[in-house]
Amino acid sequence: MLNVSVLGYGTVGSGVVEVLTTNKESIAKKAGQEINVKYILDLRDFPGDPHEDKVVHDFNVILNDEDVQIVVETMGGVKPAYDFVKACLEAGKSVCTSNKELVAKHGAELIAIAKEKSINFFFEASVGGGIPIIRPMINCLNGDEIEEISGILNGTTNYILTKMSKEGLDFDSVLKDAQDKGYAERNPEADVEGYDACRKIAILTSLAYGKQVDFEDIYTEGITKITDVDIKYANALGAAIKIFGSSKKVGNDIYAKVAPVMINGEHPLYSVNDVFNGIFVKGNMVGDLMFYGSGAGKLPTASAVVADVVEAAKSLNANLPMIWENDKLQLADIKEAKQRFFVRLSGNAAENAAKVESTFGKVQVVEAGVENEYAFITDQVKEGEFAQKAEQLGNVVSRIRVDF
Ligand code: HSE
């Protein structure tokens, strides 16, 4: 029998205990031995919970118990999760975490400690919830060089954008609905401002190129400025507005960003709707790959954590190598990235057409029956150049990147 302990008995932590309990027998077969939850660390007590006797409040009980070989970290946030996880790894316990903030910030260091101690630090659930994406990146794509990762990496914002698109509603009322349904946090900033997707694309990009991508370096734009009028134009174009976390290799440069983007029906992520996540990966040998499923939620996320626990149980005292070195990956300047832009200007065609053509050359005009506006899509233009030209025009109502 192998003892695990769970740090944090919230949504995901309680899901991990539920998965380990519900699928106990099949998990034991796959792991080669029974997996027992010995302790659950939380500040709270859980009277009436079937596992209440396992709850402890002192982390040292777990750290100092040599019978605990695997620790699950589902607390979230960097503090104190980082100190706890590092201490567990240094004490020779493998760690499986769902914590994207922790992995994005300290992944390289924690992977190095696990390697030195011949144990494992796994984090399948940190990106895409229940979708297998980390292990495919580490194990299945070693024959390839990764050319692109584009992901709908946040369920809350995908739900909001899908509902705005299908029901023609504005951002604020859909956000409120998402909060009432429990999809969006009361403080939804990390989701709607793109910070959550930023951590996730930082992790995927670090794994793709084997070096530390600092999430602070990633250009990040959320969905708070997307309006129902933008959606009306997207619908007129037969397009959808999604928020992508993406990284692309162009020559020797790697560009990464989080931003809303218009895609049309030909894009493999077009049909990824509601709270689902989808991740498109392009390898230089394998070509296009798609990963799709539940990117959040108690049991999908717990499923991925438990898969890590099984993997850790199968490889006790043997580090499964993954390349994510501490050296910083220098991202290319986003201003140099080429992109098409959808642009809305105030004023009618007579007021705008000539100055738009002299600024951007020939453009694709977009009609959606919106009065006193002139909307168009540019050809490919460098981000920095576009920003200058948009400022010159002086009457931009909104602009959204276009990926078709
Ligand atoms: N808030 C996140 C989302 C949870 O909506 O996708 C999963 O990381």
Side-chain angles (χ1 to χ4, degrees):
M1 187 175 73
L2 193 138
N3 287 308
V4 307
S5 291
V6 177
L7 311 182
Y9 201 44
T11 305
V12 180
S14 60
V16 168
V17 176
E18 188 176 331
V19 172
L20 286 170
T21 309
T22 307
N23 292 342
K24 197 175 180 72
E25 282 168 26
S26 62
I27 288 169
K29 275 192 197 143
K30 291 167 196 160
Q33 58 186 315
E34 190 184 319
I35 309 263
N36 175 55
V37 177
K38 187 161 184 185
Y39 305 111
I40 297 166
L41 180 77
D42 205 285
L43 292 171
R44 301 160 294 178
D45 286 309
F46 294 88
D49 185 283
H51 305 281
E52 68 174 311
D53 56 321
K54 295 174 178 168
V55 175
V56 295
H57 305 303
D58 180 1
F59 167 65
N60 289 309
V61 172
I62 295 169
L63 183 65
N64 296 330
D65 187 335
E66 286 184 5
D67 284 345
V68 174
Q69 287 161 292
I70 299 174
V71 172
V72 165
E73 187 276 307
T74 47
M75 305 169 75
V78 175
K79 281 249 164 217
Y82 168 67
D83 296 328
F84 289 179
V85 166
K86 190 172 171 181
C88 287
L89 292 170
E90 283 173 340
K93 302 177 196 302
S94 286
V95 175
C96 308
T97 182
S98 59
N99 186 338
K100 62 234 158 186
E101 290 99 340
L102 173 72
V103 178
K105 182 91 188 153
H106 296 291
E109 181 195 0
L110 298 171
I111 286 166
I113 298 171
K115 186 176 178 190
E116 190 200 315
K117 296 282 176 184
S118 296
I119 49 168
N120 289 291
F121 176 62
F122 289 148
F123 44 91
E124 181 61 64
S126 65
V127 181
I131 304 171
I133 180 65
I134 302 292
R135 198 155 287 115
M137 293 286 297
I138 295 166
N139 288 348
C140 311
L141 293 171
N142 289 330
D144 273 73
E145 299 203 352
I146 304 299
E147 296 180 337
E148 178 182 345
I149 304 169
S150 289
I152 295 174
L153 299 171
N154 183 270
T156 304
T157 46
N158 202 36
Y159 174 81
I160 292 172
L161 290 171
T162 304
K163 201 154 168 83
M164 283 175 77
S165 173
K166 285 193 179 152
E167 298 180 20
L169 298 170
D170 66 87
F171 175 79
D172 289 329
S173 51
V174 179
L175 174 60
K176 193 177 170 306
D177 169 74
Q179 285 173 322
D180 291 345
K181 290 209 166 84
Y183 296 147
E185 307 282 341
R186 286 290 131 199
N187 178 0
E189 195 186 3
D191 292 320
V192 299
E193 296 294 357
Y195 307 149
D196 176 80
C198 173
R199 275 27 171 215
K200 292 168 177 169
I201 194 65
I203 294 169
L204 295 180
T205 311
S206 297
L207 287 174
Y209 301 106
K211 289 183 174 181
Q212 173 67 25
V213 173
D214 292 332
F215 63 82
E216 297 91 342
D217 294 346
I218 298 177
Y219 173 84
T220 299
E221 188 182 309
I223 62 162
T224 52
K225 291 190 185 129
I226 304 290
T227 67
D228 45 340
V229 182
D230 294 321
I231 301 274
K232 199 169 173 188
Y233 280 106
N235 288 344
L237 281 161
I241 301 175
K242 301 289 184 189
I243 178 167
F244 276 10
S246 59
S247 54
K248 280 186 191 166
K249 191 163 186 234
V250 182
N252 289 325
D253 294 325
I254 294 156
Y255 296 94
K257 67 173 179 293
V258 175
V261 61
M262 273 191 194
I263 52 175
N264 67 13
E266 282 170 33
H267 196 291
L269 292 171
Y270 179 81
S271 304
V272 177
N273 285 321
D274 301 309
V275 288
F276 286 95
N277 282 194
I279 304 153
F280 168 78
V281 179
K282 187 192 266 294
N284 69 339
M285 296 293 136
V286 70
D288 297 353
L289 298 168
M290 272 286 286
F291 301 84
Y292 171 84
S294 295
K298 177 175 173 167
L299 293 177
T301 310
S303 152
V305 177
V306 171
D308 278 351
V309 170
V310 171
E311 201 62 20
K314 288 186 338 196
S315 47
L316 288 174
N317 308 316
N319 178 255
L320 300 178
M322 58 178 101
I323 311 295
W324 177 346
E325 287 163 3
N326 210 17
D327 300 349
K328 183 181 168 83
L329 181 75
Q330 199 63 54
L331 294 174
D333 187 347
I334 192 84
K335 287 193 189 116
E336 297 298 313
K338 282 193 169 170
Q339 181 74 61
R340 293 185 83 199
F341 282 88
F342 162 78
V343 189
R344 287 167 53 204
L345 300 182
S346 58
N348 59 27
E351 293 163 66
N352 285 301
K355 78 169 181 179
V356 165
E357 189 167 341
S358 72
T359 311
F360 286 106
K362 277 249 169 295
V363 293
Q364 175 189 342
V365 175
V366 184
E367 299 283 356
V370 179
E371 279 187 19
N372 206 31
E373 279 201 5
Y374 182 70
F376 61 93
I377 300 177
T378 69
D379 269 346
Q380 297 267 349
V381 53
K382 283 187 179 175
E383 291 248 1
E385 199 182 314
F386 173 80
Q388 273 179 0
K389 289 182 170 179
E391 201 175 323
Q392 257 172 42
L393 290 175
N395 58 337
V396 173
V397 177
S398 78
R399 92 284 181 273
I400 299 169
R401 291 166 182 81
V402 173
D403 199 353
F404 54 83

